[in-house]
Amino acid sequence: DAGVTQSPTHLIKTRGQQVTLRCSPKSGHDTVSWYQQALGQGPQFIFQYYEEEERQRGNFPDRFSGHQFPNYSSELNVNALLLGDSALYLCASSLVGQGNEQYFGPGTRLTVT
Amino acid sequence: AQKVTQAQTEISVVEKEDVTLDCVYETRDTTYYLFWYKQPPSGELVFLIRRNSFDEQNEISGRYSWNFQKSTSSFNFTITASQVVDSAVYFCALTLTGTASKLTFGTGTRLQVTL
């Protein structure tokens, strides 16, 4: 039973560039959530996708956008990167009706220089 | 809005000591879930426990135990006879019940267990 997978593991980008992060949910899960974790902080909710639509969004600017595909996998896109976007980006998957139990992937470490 | 507070930033113990990690939460909703996650140096958040707001029974799983008290809005986590492998950052989190609900995390407690 495959868990949540994310790619790439690490990424280095320059200010102003754009980045795409990818996530495959745990087998059988239909909902994907994205979180940003700055160094020394707890994860902060970015948004959640279900049935290929953004269902809920946290306090993040429009530079952060996402997509969910028919196979439930998801992408997180960040445009016009800022130094402050440097963080660990975590993807979590869950199944509707299962008590909001979210399983996390290993994350993508994004460094913006 | 929901809020989770983990006042202990870092705790250091010697192996075999018992340690309790504190978690206090705020929410106006009456139905919610509480969670504990472990984050080892690798970075992946590992699910430890989920507790429904209707269930105040304490839970024990091996060396781990959880004390949920609605009267004080606390959901504390105790590790008995700590081991070096318990060294990690531990996060308490809250989510409302319902199909579309984000996890609100505390800032985490770093636990260092030494020999």
Side-chain angles (χ1 to χ4, degrees), chain B residues 89-101:
Chain B
V89 180
Y90 291 85
F91 290 97
C92 180
L94 177 148
T95 183
L96 304 180
T97 58
T99 55
S101 192

Side-chain angles (χ1 to χ4, degrees), chain B residues 7-85:
Chain B
Q8 303 153 309
T9 305
E10 189 161 348
I11 300 175
S12 292
V13 299
V14 177
E15 201 175 39
K16 297 183 184 177
E17 286 186 4
D18 298 347
V19 59
T20 295
L21 309 182
D22 298 333
C23 172
V24 174
Y25 63 92
E26 296 176 31
T27 179
R28 292 183 178 179
D29 287 72
T30 57
T31 58
Y32 48 88
Y33 290 105
L34 294 165
F35 298 80
W36 275 95
Y37 285 89
K38 174 182 180 180
Q39 188 173 45
S42 62
E44 183 169 347
L45 282 168
V46 177
F47 168 82
L48 295 178
I49 189 172
R50 180 192 69 195
R51 174 61 74 217
N52 187 312
S53 56
F54 291 121
D55 183 3
E56 285 194 72
Q57 271 194 324
N58 291 331
E59 180 154 340
I60 298 175
S61 176
R63 296 184 297 107
Y64 296 169
S65 62
W66 291 269
N67 183 349
F68 175 32
Q69 293 192 346
K70 288 182 74 172
S71 61
T72 57
S73 297
S74 65
F75 185 42
N76 297 337
F77 173 31
T78 297
I79 301 175
T80 302
S82 60
Q83 299 176 2
V84 172
V85 293

Side-chain angles (χ1 to χ4, degrees), chain A residues 35 37 55-56 98 100 102, chain B residues 37 39 50 96 98-99:
Chain A
Y35 293 82
Q37 187 179 16
R55 192 163 64 174
Q56 192 177 18
Q98 294 300 309
N100 295 342
Q102 297 186 25
Chain B
Y37 285 89
Q39 188 173 45
R50 180 192 69 195
L96 304 180
T99 55

Side-chain angles (χ1 to χ4, degrees), chain A residues 8-113:
Chain A
T9 306
H10 294 90
L11 205 51
I12 300 175
K13 290 286 188 179
T14 304
R15 273 180 301 174
Q17 287 188 318
Q18 178 263 342
V19 67
T20 297
L21 310 182
R22 294 176 177 82
C23 171
S24 291
K26 180 179 168 67
S27 178
H29 283 184
D30 56 11
T31 302
V32 173
S33 302
W34 286 92
Y35 293 82
Q36 180 196 65
Q37 187 179 16
L39 200 61
Q41 300 295 315
Q44 298 292 315
F45 176 76
I46 302 175
F47 42 52
Q48 183 180 84
Y49 277 85
Y50 172 67
E51 291 188 339
E52 301 181 50
E53 291 194 359
E54 184 182 290
R55 192 163 64 174
Q56 192 177 18
R57 188 178 182 92
N59 295 324
F60 280 79
D62 292 345
R63 299 186 297 109
F64 289 77
S65 63
H67 188 76
Q68 186 179 36
F69 299 94
N71 67 353
Y72 306 117
S73 67
S74 177
E75 288 182 349
L76 163 65
N77 300 294
V78 187
N79 294 322
L81 284 167
L82 304 173
L83 294 179
D85 294 332
S86 296
L88 179 68
Y89 288 85
L90 294 162
C91 169
S93 74
S94 55
L95 180 62
V96 168
Q98 294 300 309
N100 295 342
E101 197 166 302
Q102 297 186 25
Y103 290 85
F104 284 81
T108 293
R109 173 75 62 187
L110 172 65
T111 301
V112 182
T113 62

